[in-house]
Each structure stands twice: as structure tokens, then as C-alpha cells.
């Protein structure tokens, strides 16, 4: 556990604690449940998934208005998820197995039940009044035209009866935005960083890193804002309520703080659709990496993926690595967006691009979304939060009633069945991760895409030691590709029936919806 840049070659696994494993039968996943399944994630043998770092979505005390992203105490664990002692066990157990742990850092807002906000809202003269963003209304309405990121919430402002002013909330009204310009707030937030680093965590996933500051004059956004289905899709360029220069300053400060504690990781969530703005957030002295959010917005189209990967690769600082995720707790699952076989091709893409792969729990099984009959989430994200399917009946997740229904695919998309099936999605993930770990070209090599026929995406990964080619067929029909001259060896295919062996680069046959990894020479 020593290498300074461990994160550069890490495969990250996102755990949504509520949905991973329930240890006490209340139907809600918890920290002990995670501890009990650490061997599944990495036990040092090819039988486990072999991931290097766990990102845990929030497990802090929360009224759950946004399922944990509304925090009422930054330095504790919600009793539904366990205790600080469980965090210690989790971190220790992960470290013993060579895995790092990164936790979610939500600095933009707290819960409206956080004691800071209760004080702040109590009177205009309360010493914590300025810890949040308060403003007078305009013409009987909110102070300006900013909207909440959740379509259903409407304006980003709510009037508080006690004092007659409005407070800002970029998300639900239960998530008031902190005023990070206030030095006392900054000091309080710094304490939070220190607290979790002292618990032994190895870094942070930074929630909405681009939203931490808003225009000090609260100016109206230039264009009237249409309603958007998902906040990630906002064409939110140069708006006054996000992407302000002070965010970079705070993130640099955090980076410095983290570096002072050892080799940690800052993984940014920066849902800005303009790549030229996104790349400002990672590399150099900012966050180490950030999600390439355009990646999860692409249709199933080879040219679209090639375009978005090439664009970000060209814009990013030479040394900077983006993070590629196919799904998260905010994004519908890969199988639901694209289909089962497509998801295998997408997995090969994610693990072979230049960047950090981030696997959302259950993606390795090809689990599909399973929306409940009655929506619980304010932004319709229940479907992708389906409990982890450990075996066909659901008892592997809980002995009680799960907080969300399992998928109809539980008979096949489960760990028990897939562990035993050589051609399963789980075993494909294991092979891809193992291959990646052994390959300097995949971990550290450069990337370049090649021109290729429609509905194929072909790229080269090269290190001083090796040269690999990845050829992905997005089409539902076979194709034969001419990729170059000379011999190569087929190392891996998304089609488990296809065996490794020599191929000629002049004619590489690809099955319908098949991806292959070739070693040149
Ligand atoms: C991004 C998180 O991923 C999402 O789940 C949450 O609703 C918002 N930030 C607000 O914290
Ligand atoms: Ca539980």
C-alpha cells in the first residue's frame, strides 16, 4: 500500500451502501454488510473481482430527502448504516486486502436539519445566518431566476416564513446551499476533511464540484432555463449559479490538505457538458481525476463514443486521467440503456480506455434497472439503485423486505449463478480487470483511435513494453476489419466462446456486438 500514484492504475468500485448488503434484516444495506463482502471485491485471487478502491456513497446521518446527499451530521454514521466502529472495520478490512476507500464529500449543501441550518434560519441576526445563502425576494417572488437541478423542485429558492427571506438550494428545498465564501464555513468544512482522513480513508469523491460557488451578486442566468430531465444534461455553460473560479481555489486547497496526509485521491463529479470547462477541474494541482460525464450520455453509437473520448483526450492536460463510469446511482444502468450484449462491449471499452474505470455495484452482473411501483426518489433514480443480487432469491441481500424491489433478472443477474458460469458477465469483468492490472499499456500507455468502418470503434494503447489494439463492434452483424499489417494475438473477447490465439491484423473477424483485445506482434 505504498505507491504514491496508486490511483493512476486503480479500478474503482462504487458502493451505494443502502443497496449493497443488509446485515441485520431491516431491508437496508449497511456498513457491516459491506465488510462481509469484501472478499467478493478483492481477496487477492482471480476468483474475486479484483478492484483497487471503493467509493462509498454517503452513509452519514441524514433525513434521506436525497438518500444521504442531505447530511445532518458530517462526522458520524447514520444508525441505519452502522457506527464509526463499522467504518473502522471497513477501512481496515479493505486495506488488508489492498483496497483503498474513498468517501463522498458533499460540501455544496447540508440537510435542512443540520444544526448549522437550524441556527441559520432562526433569525436574521443569528451568527450562523451567513453560513447559508439568504436573500430578499424580488417582486414578490424568488431573488432571481435560478432553478433547482431537480426538475420537480422548480426554483432554487424557498421562502422561509420565520424571517421572510429566501434561501438557496441547488437541489431539493431540504438541501440548503452552504456559503463557502464565509471563512467560518470553510474552517468547519476543513474539519470534516481532517475527520475522515483520521478515520483512515484514502480520499474523497467530490459531490457537484462545479457548484460550490455561485455569483456573489446573484445575477439572473442569461437564458431563461428550460426544464431538463436530468441535471447532468443541463447545458449549463457559463451560468451564474455554477462553475465560478472560486471552486478551483477551494479544490486546490483541499488537494494541498490531502497531499499533506499522504497519497490520496480526489475524484470529482463535475456535470458540465462543456469539455473545455470540465478539463479545468482535474490534473495539475486540482482534483486528480473527474468523471467524463459525456461518456454516460452517449447513444449506442460507435462514432459518438469515439468522438467524446477523442475530444476529452485532446483537451485534457497531458498527464490528466478522466474517470469512466458506465452507470452510477444517478444514471440508468448499462443494460437498461443499451442491452445485455452491448453492456459487455461497453465494459471492454471502459476497462481499456485511458482513464480510471469506475464500476457501479451490480454492473459486473449486468443487472438491469428495477423501478418500484411508487417512486421514492425526487428525481426518478430508484431504478438504478436496485439492491445487489447476490443469489436468485434475494436472501443474499437481506433476510427481510428489501427497501427497493429486486430486478426481474435476479434469476440470472446474480453472483451465485454467474460465479459458476465461465461466460457470465461477472467472469468477463474479472478477466478484464485482471488483464488490465497486468498490462502496462492499459494502465499507463497512450491512447489513439483509428479510422474504422461505421459502427466500429478501434483504438491503440501503447507503452514502451507493449502495444494493444481494441476493436469494438457496435453493430448487430458481424464484420471483418483490416486494422494494419502483421501478426497479432487475440487476448480477450467479450464472446467467451472465442478462444485466444493468433490473428492477422489484415483481417480481424468480429462477431455481432463483439469486442476484442489484440496484442500486436
Ligand atoms: C450528485 C449526487 O450524485 C446525487 O445523487 C445528488 O442528488 C446530488 N449530487 C446532490 O447532492
Ligand atoms: Ca441493515
Amino acid at each position: 500500500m505504498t505507491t504514491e500514484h496508486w490511483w493512476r492504475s486503480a479500478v474503482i468500485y462504487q458502493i451505494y451502501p443502502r443497496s449493497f448488503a443488509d446485515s441485520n434484516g431491516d431491508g437496508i444495506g449497511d456498513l457491516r454488510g459491506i465488510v462481509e463482502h469484501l472478499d467478493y471485491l478483492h481477496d487477492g485471487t482471480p476468483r474475486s473481482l479484483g478492484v483497487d478502491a471503493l467509493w462509498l456513497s454517503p452513509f452519514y446521518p441524514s433525513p434521506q430527502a436525497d438518500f444521504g446527499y442531505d447530511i445532518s451530521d458530517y462526522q458520524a454514521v447514520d444508525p441505519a448504516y452502522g457506527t464509526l466502529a463499522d467504518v473502522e472495520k471497513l477501512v481496515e478490512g479493505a486495506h488488508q486486502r489492498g483496497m483503498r476507500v474513498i468517501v463522498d464529500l458533499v460540501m455544496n449543501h447540508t440537510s435542512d436539519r443540520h444544526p448549522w441550518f437550524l441556527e441559520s434560519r432562526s433569525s436574521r441576526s443569528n451568527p450562523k445566518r451567513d453560513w447559508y445563502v439568504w436573500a430578499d425576494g424580488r417582486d414578490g417572488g424568488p431573488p432571481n431566476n435560478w432553478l433547482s437541478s431537480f426538475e420537480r423542485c422548480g426554483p432554487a429558492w424557498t421562502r422561509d416564513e420565520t424571517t421572510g427571506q429566501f434561501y438557496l438550494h441547488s437541489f431539493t428545498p431540504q438541501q440548503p446551499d452552504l456559503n463557502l465564501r464565509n471563512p467560518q464555513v470553510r474552517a468547519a468544512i476543513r474539519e470534516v476533511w481532517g475527520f475522515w482522513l483520521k478515520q483512515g480513508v484514502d480520499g474523497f469523491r467530490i459531490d457537484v464540484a462545479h457548484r460550490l460557488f455561485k455569483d456573489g451578486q446573484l445575477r439572473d442566468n442569461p437564458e431563461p432555463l428550460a426544464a431538463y430531465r436530468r441535471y447532468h444534461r443541463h447545458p449549463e455553460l457559463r451560468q451564474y449559479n455554477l462553475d465560478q473560479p472560486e471552486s478551483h481555489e477551494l479544490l486546490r486547497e483541499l488537494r494541498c490538505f490531502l497531499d499533506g496526509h499522504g497519497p490520496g485521491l480526489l475524484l470529482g463529479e463535475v456535470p458540465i457538458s462543456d469539455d473545455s470547462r470540465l478539463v479545468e477541474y482535474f490534473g495539475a494541482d486540482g482534483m486528480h481525476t473527474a468523471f467524463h460525464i459525456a461518456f454516460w450520455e452517449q447513444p449506442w453509437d460507435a462514432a459518438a463514443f469515439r468522438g467524446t473520448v477523442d475530444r476529452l483526450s485532446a483537451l485534457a492536460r497531458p498527464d490528466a486521467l478522466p474517470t469512466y463510469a458506465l452507470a452510477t446511482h444517478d444514471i440508468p444502468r448499462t443494460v437498461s440503456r443499451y442491452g445485455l450484449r452491448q453492456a459487455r462491449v461497453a465494459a471492454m471499452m471502459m476497462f481499456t480506455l485511458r482513464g480510471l474505470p469506475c464500476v457501479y455495484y451490480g454492473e459486473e452482473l449486468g443487472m438491469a434497472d428495477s423501478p418500484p411501483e411508487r417512486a421514492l426518489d425526487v428525481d426518478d433514480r430508484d431504478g438504478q439503485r436496485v439492491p445487489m443480487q447476490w443469489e436468485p432469491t434475494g436472501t443474499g441481500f437481506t433476510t427481510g423486505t428489501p427497501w427497493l424491489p429486486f430486478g426481474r433478472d435476479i434469476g440470472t443477474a446474480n453472483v451465485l449463478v454467474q460465479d459458476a458460469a465461465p461466460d457470465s458477465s461477472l467472469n468477463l469483468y474479472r478477466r478484464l480487470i485482471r488483464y488490465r492490472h497486468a498490462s502496462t499499456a492499459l494502465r499507463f500507455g497512450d491512447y489513439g483511435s483509428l479510422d474504422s468502418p461505421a459502427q466500429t470503434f478501434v483504438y491503440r494503447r501503447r507503452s514502451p513494453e507493449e502495444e494493444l489494439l481494441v476493436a469494438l463492434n457496435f453493430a448487430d452483424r458481424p464484420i471483418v476489419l483490416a486494422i494494419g499489417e502483421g501478426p497479432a494475438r487475440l487476448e480477450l473477447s467479450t464472446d467467451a466462446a472465442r478462444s485466444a490465439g493468433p490473428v492477422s491484423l489484415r483481417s480481424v473477424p468480429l462477431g455481432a456486438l463483439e469486442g476484442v483485445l489484440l496484442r500486436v506482434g
Side-chain angles (χ1 to χ4, degrees):
M1 301 283 290
T2 45
T3 36
E4 199 178 338
H5 295 305
W6 63 269
W7 58 270
R8 292 193 76 87
S9 59
V11 174
I12 302 170
Y13 188 87
Q14 182 192 354
I15 293 182
Y16 195 66
R18 205 174 179 80
S19 298
F20 194 64
D22 169 26
S23 69
N24 63 352
D26 65 359
I28 296 175
D30 46 53
L31 297 178
R32 281 186 189 202
I34 301 173
V35 173
E36 284 164 11
H37 289 87
L38 288 174
D39 277 341
Y40 166 77
L41 299 166
H42 195 143
D43 71 0
T45 76
R47 282 188 53 83
S48 72
L49 201 53
V51 297
D52 306 288
L54 309 178
W55 152 32
L56 305 178
S57 280
F59 48 77
Y60 321 109
S62 163
Q64 311 290 343
D66 187 14
F67 289 101
Y69 286 91
D70 49 321
I71 298 171
S72 53
D73 182 351
Y74 279 110
Q75 304 189 13
V77 175
D78 193 295
Y81 301 130
T83 61
L84 278 173
D86 295 329
V87 174
E88 197 182 321
K89 266 185 229 125
L90 202 168
V91 170
E92 202 180 280
H95 285 175
Q96 275 163 4
R97 291 164 177 80
M99 288 183 286
R100 319 272 172 156
V101 177
I102 70 170
V103 295
D104 227 299
L105 185 59
V106 186
M107 297 188 279
N108 180 67
H109 46 267
T110 67
S111 159
D112 63 345
R113 311 281 174 81
H114 195 293
W116 300 343
F117 189 69
L118 295 179
E119 274 196 54
S120 182
R121 81 187 314 175
S122 65
S123 81
R124 289 196 189 204
S125 58
N126 184 277
K128 290 211 170 55
R129 185 62 168 182
D130 187 49
W131 280 42
Y132 293 83
V133 185
W134 291 97
D136 292 327
R138 186 177 66 183
D139 310 327
N144 65 20
N145 70 356
W146 299 352
L147 289 182
S148 155
S149 297
F150 297 137
E151 191 181 337
R152 239 173 246 153
C153 296
W157 298 96
T158 290
R159 185 167 184 279
D160 188 51
E161 292 309 320
T162 318
T163 58
Q165 280 193 307
F166 287 78
Y167 65 89
L168 178 68
H169 51 84
S170 297
F171 296 90
T172 68
Q174 293 81 29
Q175 293 164 291
D177 283 28
L178 282 165
N179 174 16
L180 288 161
R181 289 202 176 87
N182 180 319
Q184 291 174 346
V185 176
R186 291 282 271 266
I189 282 294
R190 247 177 254 128
E191 253 182 54
V192 176
W193 305 343
F195 178 84
W196 288 103
L197 292 177
K198 244 189 255 127
Q199 307 302 310
V201 309
D202 305 284
F204 300 106
R205 176 264 190 189
I206 315 292
D207 193 63
V208 291
H210 66 316
R211 278 199 177 269
L212 304 174
F213 291 85
K214 295 96 201 168
D215 179 46
Q217 299 171 49
L218 306 180
R219 278 171 283 191
D220 269 340
N221 278 327
E223 290 161 41
L225 292 172
Y228 299 100
R229 211 174 69 75
R230 298 228 166 258
Y231 71 90
H232 313 92
R233 304 204 175 135
H234 289 197
E236 43 199 4
L237 311 179
R238 296 302 181 156
Q239 294 193 2
Y240 282 116
N241 55 341
L242 48 85
D243 195 21
Q244 303 293 307
E246 291 99 322
S247 294
H248 297 291
E249 210 182 278
L250 176 60
L251 293 166
R252 274 198 297 272
E253 186 191 327
L254 169 55
R255 169 71 181 268
C256 216
F257 188 91
L258 184 81
D259 286 350
H261 281 76
L265 170 65
L266 296 179
L267 163 58
E269 185 217 18
V270 186
I272 302 184
S273 10
D274 180 349
D275 289 340
S276 67
R277 311 287 312 155
L278 168 61
V279 296
E280 295 295 313
Y281 282 84
F282 66 105
D285 56 354
M287 296 183 292
H288 300 90
T289 177
F291 287 106
H292 182 180
I293 65 128
F295 191 72
W296 59 51
E297 293 175 345
Q298 299 309 314
W300 187 249
D301 179 77
F305 275 100
R306 179 187 181 190
T308 194
V309 170
D310 284 2
R311 213 166 23 252
L312 194 74
S313 309
L315 286 169
R317 296 178 170 103
D319 217 25
L321 294 177
T323 293
Y324 288 103
L326 290 167
T328 73
H329 63 295
D330 296 324
I331 311 295
R333 287 180 176 276
T334 316
V335 163
S336 298
R337 296 209 314 278
Y338 301 134
L340 267 172
R341 285 174 61 197
Q342 287 85 342
R344 294 172 75 101
V345 176
M348 177 170 276
M349 176 167 63
M350 177 175 71
F351 286 116
T352 56
L353 285 174
R354 181 174 174 275
L356 281 66
C358 181
V359 181
Y360 183 46
Y361 80 93
E363 283 286 290
E364 71 274 26
L365 307 171
M367 271 166 53
D369 289 355
S370 174
E373 274 170 28
R374 203 172 53 83
L376 304 180
D377 177 50
V378 60
D379 202 31
D380 296 326
R381 296 165 296 181
D382 300 317
Q384 55 262 37
R385 298 170 181 181
V386 52
M388 177 73 171
Q389 298 172 167
W390 294 102
E391 42 64 67
T393 67
T395 52
F397 171 72
T398 184
T399 52
T401 308
W403 77 284
L404 280 176
F406 294 107
R408 277 198 299 270
D409 58 2
I410 192 169
T412 49
N414 71 70
V415 175
L416 188 73
V417 165
Q418 293 205 6
D419 181 46
D423 62 348
S424 66
S425 171
L426 177 59
N427 281 315
L428 174 65
Y429 266 70
R430 288 170 174 163
R431 281 196 292 275
L432 284 166
I433 294 173
R434 206 159 61 235
Y435 195 92
R436 185 182 166 94
H437 280 146
S439 161
T440 56
L442 292 185
R443 284 183 299 148
F444 307 115
D446 56 22
Y447 158 90
S449 66
L450 275 58
D451 288 335
S452 65
Q455 287 313 337
T456 63
F457 180 18
V458 179
Y459 46 92
R460 176 178 285 121
R461 299 294 319 275
R462 195 165 30 194
S463 67
E465 297 83 22
E466 59 176 354
E467 179 176 344
L468 303 176
L469 286 165
V470 178
L472 309 170
N473 183 9
F474 279 59
D476 204 3
R477 57 190 144 64
I479 189 168
V480 179
L481 293 183
I483 311 182
E485 302 288 320
R489 191 185 128 86
L490 188 143
E491 300 274 89
L492 259 178
S493 163
T494 55
D495 177 357
R498 192 154 169 198
S499 37
V503 284
S504 159
L505 289 178
R506 278 186 209 170
S507 131
V508 179
L510 283 183
L513 292 168
E514 185 191 12
V516 296
L517 183 99
L518 311 167
R519 173 179 298 276
V520 178

